[in-house]
Amino acid sequence: MTTNFLYNVTMSLSLVSFSSGSRGNSLVVFSENTAVVIDVGISAPCIKRGLKVAGAHLAPQILVTHAHSDHVGYLYTYSEQFAPDVYCFAPAYYTVSREMAGGRLIAFDGDFFVGDFTVSPFRVSHDVPCVGYSVYHAGNKLSVVTDLGKVTEAVFEAIKGSDLVFLEANYDESMLMNNANYPAVLKRRILSDRGHLSNEAAGAFAVRLAEAGTRQLILGHLSEQNNYPELAYRVVSGALAEKGIEAGKDVHIDVAGYNRVTKVFSVT
């Protein structure tokens, strides 16, 4: 497939989130000449509308983090329409292949190249095979990590030094524990080391990232029932403040929402 990219920004490495939450996830990382969509948990028309914000008419390459429906639920229809190259973690190959209707599925078990990008996947702790991604381009580094029950030293080593990090802040523990709509077994899963990251855990990780040089944080994958943007921002910025790191000055923090296209976040 031949694809032309038309970008309305000239920054070297940028990100736009199309949707981030418990019901559907997708974002694009792009430069002047390359774009990759990470996850296809929302419809193709929604992704295409989001790509216009990035100035790209179509990005054929897809990176899959894992095979849960909020990340690959629309991969079948997207691949049927656009026949993209889809990259997935080797242990998830069979599961992801069942979500494909067209295009080419490429398994990886280490770093690989897509256009101008060096893509470095890293394993995260979740209840299915799951990865986060660091993308390198023109001396810059951007990382995307969601769906992790805990932050391991391996995850920190993979992400540290990123200029920008898209980081999960999934739930407030008190809201989760008092949510009558969630059965005990689901609460245990979310709270476990193979579940999701709380606001407090995201705040502690944000401190380490900031101390290692990160200057932009985008909080994502917020639970619609067990969190809200103002709370996630307050907890993470408060954790940074306790270490003398000022949000908005030393580190810029934004929150990505469900079914909402963000502005363009760029690093140079």
Side-chain angles (χ1 to χ4, degrees):
M1 173 182 291
T2 300
T3 303
N4 294 318
F5 295 102
L6 299 175
Y7 296 110
N8 55 19
V9 295
T10 58
M11 300 296 182
S12 63
L13 189 59
S14 302
L15 179 150
V16 174
S17 174
F18 309 146
S19 181
S20 184
S22 301
R23 288 193 288 168
N25 298 273
S26 186
L27 59 83
V28 63
V29 176
F30 62 99
S31 66
E32 292 86 349
N33 300 304
T34 302
V36 292
V37 169
I38 299 181
D39 289 333
V40 188
I42 59 174
S43 69
C46 290
I47 291 174
K48 290 176 69 177
R49 285 196 295 270
L51 286 170
K52 289 182 180 179
V53 174
H57 292 302
L58 180 65
Q61 296 93 349
I62 304 292
L63 310 183
V64 172
T65 60
H66 64 294
H68 281 161
S69 62
D70 59 321
H71 294 261
V72 297
Y74 286 87
L75 181 57
Y76 187 93
T77 54
Y78 189 94
S79 64
E80 186 176 42
Q81 284 185 263
F82 302 120
D85 287 343
V86 178
Y87 297 81
C88 80
F89 186 36
Y93 183 90
Y94 175 71
T95 306
V96 174
S97 70
R98 292 181 294 175
E99 305 292 336
M100 295 278 291
R104 181 174 60 150
L105 183 59
I106 303 165
F108 60 76
D109 196 15
D111 295 357
F112 56 96
F113 300 99
V114 178
D116 293 341
F117 295 161
T118 299
V119 181
S120 182
F122 50 92
R123 186 75 180 262
V124 301
S125 178
H126 202 42
D127 56 1
V128 297
C130 184
V131 297
Y133 292 102
S134 290
V135 178
Y136 298 82
H137 173 65
N140 298 306
K141 180 180 180 182
L142 181 157
S143 295
V144 176
V145 57
T146 64
D147 297 78
L148 69 165
K150 64 177 180 180
V151 177
T152 64
E153 283 303 306
V155 168
F156 173 68
E157 289 296 322
I159 295 176
K160 74 175 183 180
S162 298
D163 301 286
L164 183 154
V165 176
F166 189 96
L167 173 65
E168 176 173 61
N170 182 255
Y171 65 92
D172 172 77
E173 187 169 347
S174 178
M175 290 180 67
L176 174 63
M177 294 307 295
N178 289 290
N179 189 339
N181 296 321
Y182 275 45
V185 64
L186 179 55
K187 292 177 181 179
R188 287 195 297 270
R189 172 188 172 270
I190 293 169
L191 290 162
S192 76
D193 286 349
R194 301 181 68 199
H196 292 278
L197 212 61
S198 69
N199 290 339
E200 288 75 15
F205 192 25
V207 169
R208 296 189 69 188
L209 292 172
E211 291 175 342
T214 296
R215 292 296 173 259
Q216 289 193 69
L217 286 169
I218 306 168
L219 306 179
H221 211 291
L222 275 66
S223 167
E224 292 174 71
Q225 292 197 40
N226 303 309
N227 207 357
Y228 55 93
E230 296 81 5
L231 177 58
Y233 180 93
R234 186 167 69 244
V235 170
V236 173
S237 62
L240 290 166
E242 288 181 1
K243 299 297 184 179
I245 303 167
E246 185 178 344
K249 179 182 178 182
D250 302 315
V251 177
H252 293 278
I253 305 175
D254 291 271
V255 183
Y258 171 71
N259 204 25
R260 178 173 63 85
V261 179
T262 66
K263 67 180 183 180
V264 177
F265 299 97
S266 296
V267 296
T268 58

